[in-house]
Amino acid sequence: MSEHPEHSTGGTYSVKGKEFTRDSRYITTRITTDVRDGFPVEPGRYRLVAARACPWANRAIIVRRLLGLEDAISLGLPGPTHDARSWTFDLDPGGRDPVLGIERLQEAYFARDPEYPRGITVPAIVDTATGAVVTNDFAQITLDLSTQWRAFHREGAPDLLPAAHRDEIDEVNRRVFTEVNNGVYRCGFAGSQEAYDEAYDRLWTALDWLEERLADRRYLVGDTITEADVRLFTTLVRFDPVYHGHFKCNRNKLSEQPNLWAYARDLFQTPGFGDTVDFVQIKQHYYVVHTDINPSRIVPKGPDLSGWVTPHGREALGGRPFGDGTPPGPVREGERVDPAHGPR
């Protein structure tokens, strides 16, 4: 069994008997209105630490922006790479997070538990009063941003978890997580040909299902953007730059899947999605950190990203992206992606 300190994928992971296995044990403390775990919903108290490179963290960045929680929860942005110990704040002046005053996210985990034994993952929500991580449970974080922080949503914030569709959203999310979000990693870190072949077939079975599902509907569930779209988008946007080659998920490029490609472009061009994506950081993370897959650490120059801003035609399917709500406003100063890191 080999162990890898893969801090972006939800803890350490291992290859046991040839098959990739994710460590899904998280700090499951929640921030709630009823203070059940001792952490109240309190604007200005918490900091979301979320690297743009990481798909799981990218979800939280998107949801925070869609809901307009920028004033309620601040955002810390580690750089795209990390060592065996931790994500680092190397993009900030002096290499320290300007709010938490730390060089490594590991320091916030150790403030919670000096013997913390697992991967130092993003996203993480840190209590600025104590400097300690409250939670790194990435799946629950975005659900709680939608439900527990409602009092601080912007006017016109979309309902990403509409009650009428909640069961279907949960069902779709389960399949997308196991077969697609995690499926690309199962391909990339397979420990044998047999394990890879099985993972590859499972991934493409799911992607074919999604290609068919999106043929006559604009969004995954209902006629508005939901949590399900956020969760699929962060994998799709990384597919051609990383997963197709680096993780050997190479039956087709995303750009060769007509419905998925048009759907991904539709979301990318929707405020709150593409304006959170940093393709340069994404490629730097995977190709530099995964030395067992890419020992040279050479980061590819491609692919051509200009297609992301081409017309997608998905409006013909109807749907209302934000339902009865409105798009988010301009990205906040200090949170904008470098224009040179996107499609040109």
Side-chain angles (χ1 to χ4, degrees):
M1 181 180 77
S2 58
E3 294 286 350
H4 305 261
E6 178 44 63
H7 300 298
S8 71
T9 61
T12 55
Y13 62 81
S14 60
V15 180
K16 297 180 181 179
K18 308 172 186 176
E19 183 178 348
F20 167 90
T21 303
R22 182 180 305 282
D23 181 350
S24 57
R25 295 169 292 169
Y26 304 103
I27 300 173
T28 57
T29 307
R30 294 175 61 194
I31 299 166
T32 58
T33 55
D34 64 7
V35 201
R36 70 190 73 172
D37 291 341
F39 289 93
V41 170
E42 183 180 321
R45 176 170 172 174
Y46 305 102
R47 187 159 177 81
L48 171 65
V49 178
R52 293 195 188 279
C54 168
W56 321 97
N58 195 179
R59 295 179 181 184
I61 296 173
I62 291 171
V63 170
R64 172 180 173 270
R65 173 153 160 66
L66 291 177
L67 299 178
L69 288 168
E70 292 94 336
D71 288 336
I73 305 171
S74 65
L75 178 64
L77 295 167
T81 62
H82 55 70
D83 57 23
R85 290 172 58 196
S86 176
W87 294 90
T88 57
F89 294 97
D90 48 293
L91 301 179
D92 291 310
R96 289 184 179 273
D97 180 89
V99 172
L100 301 173
I102 58 177
E103 295 179 339
R104 293 175 172 275
L105 182 55
Q106 183 184 54
E107 296 173 56
Y109 276 79
F110 286 172
R112 170 69 184 255
D113 177 2
E115 304 297 327
Y116 187 74
R118 296 189 289 280
I120 307 300
T121 65
V122 289
I125 295 183
V126 180
D127 183 357
T128 61
T130 63
V133 168
V134 177
T135 180
N136 66 340
D137 188 349
F138 67 88
Q140 191 63 48
I141 284 172
T142 53
L143 300 179
D144 283 346
L145 292 181
S146 280
T147 58
Q148 302 299 313
W149 289 81
R150 252 183 224 282
F152 303 100
H153 290 183
R154 66 178 174 87
E155 184 177 355
D159 184 358
L160 299 178
L161 295 169
H165 297 291
R166 183 61 192 272
D167 289 346
E168 187 178 3
I169 290 170
D170 290 346
E171 180 183 351
V172 169
N173 282 347
R174 279 191 294 272
R175 186 169 183 183
V176 167
F177 172 74
T178 59
E179 305 304 300
V180 180
N181 301 146
N182 197 43
V184 292
Y185 285 88
R186 195 182 293 112
C187 290
F189 293 104
S192 71
Q193 187 69 52
E194 180 183 13
Y196 165 75
D197 290 347
E198 180 182 351
Y200 177 98
D201 290 343
R202 283 181 61 178
L203 171 66
W204 282 104
T205 295
L207 289 173
D208 286 343
W209 163 68
L210 289 165
E211 176 74 10
E212 182 178 355
R213 183 180 180 90
L214 291 166
D216 58 0
R217 61 174 77 201
R218 189 170 178 185
Y219 303 111
L220 279 179
V221 181
D223 65 351
T224 64
I225 290 167
T226 68
E227 172 87 12
D229 299 297
V230 176
R231 294 188 180 201
L232 178 58
F233 173 78
T234 59
T235 295
L236 295 183
V237 82
R238 288 161 175 77
F239 199 89
D240 285 3
V242 177
Y243 303 144
H244 178 271
H246 185 59
F247 278 178
K248 307 180 187 71
C249 302
N250 61 353
R251 193 193 77 181
N252 301 103
K253 295 177 182 176
L254 176 67
S255 57
E256 296 167 345
Q257 297 288 115
N259 298 330
L260 278 166
W261 175 225
Y263 164 82
R265 281 179 289 151
D266 187 3
L267 290 177
F268 186 89
Q269 295 168 34
T270 299
F273 285 84
D275 52 31
T276 72
V277 175
D278 189 313
F279 284 108
V280 170
Q281 289 194 25
I282 287 168
K283 291 196 297 182
Q284 288 174 341
H285 170 69
Y286 285 91
Y287 287 101
V288 172
V289 171
H290 296 159
T291 54
D292 45 350
I293 296 176
N294 187 43
S296 70
R297 296 189 174 186
I298 293 171
V299 179
K301 294 183 72 173
D304 179 2
L305 301 172
S306 60
W308 281 101
V309 292
T310 60
H312 51 76
R314 298 283 290 180
E315 304 94 337
L317 295 173
R320 302 174 301 143
F322 296 97
D324 294 329
T326 58
V331 180
R332 296 293 180 91
E333 186 69 34
E335 295 186 9
R336 296 174 189 155
V337 175
D338 184 339
H341 292 192
R344 286 176 288 172

